[in-house]
Amino acid sequence: MEGKRFVDKRVVKWLEYYPNDELKGYVILHLDNDPFNFAKDNLVKVKKEIFLLMLNNHLYFSNKELNKSAIMVATNIYYSKKIKV
């Protein structure tokens, strides 16, 4: 099967909703952590580095609202580490 490539369904659905969006350097997450819920309001695009911060700090939950907050916390951590004082 040379030349064939598998694409995550989250990516396929995201590109259906946002066809001109660039995904290089990003991952698509399910906010409610339900792998079968591909609703537009349940998918979110996050920088890979921010997602890794979430995983390393155990900030990925099965609750939509907690995950929204976790993304904000991880984003603040990520950008605050880039600030040169």
Side-chain angles (χ1 to χ4, degrees):
M1 290 183 70
E2 192 170 325
K4 300 279 183 185
R5 194 175 142 209
F6 293 98
V7 179
D8 193 326
K9 187 170 180 179
R10 291 176 291 193
V11 171
V12 171
K13 294 303 279 184
W14 184 266
L15 291 173
E16 280 181 21
Y17 299 136
Y18 308 100
N20 297 321
D21 205 7
E22 176 61 43
L23 294 179
K24 187 174 183 171
Y26 290 88
V27 294
I28 306 301
L29 303 178
H30 294 277
L31 281 175
D32 65 359
N33 212 1
D34 176 0
F36 303 107
N37 184 356
F38 295 98
K40 187 175 184 177
D41 67 337
N42 191 49
L43 298 177
V44 65
K45 180 173 97 168
V46 177
K47 282 179 153 291
K48 286 181 183 179
E49 296 87 353
I50 292 170
F51 180 56
L52 290 174
L53 271 171
M54 290 171 63
L55 290 178
N56 289 335
N57 291 289
H58 308 286
L59 293 173
Y60 194 46
F61 307 100
S62 295
N63 179 296
K64 199 175 204 176
E65 296 306 315
L66 284 176
N67 281 327
K68 286 179 185 179
S69 297
I71 290 168
M72 286 191 290
V73 167
T75 301
N76 286 335
I77 292 168
Y78 175 75
Y79 286 110
S80 64
K81 285 184 176 186
K82 290 186 160 286
I83 295 174
K84 303 277 192 235
V85 180

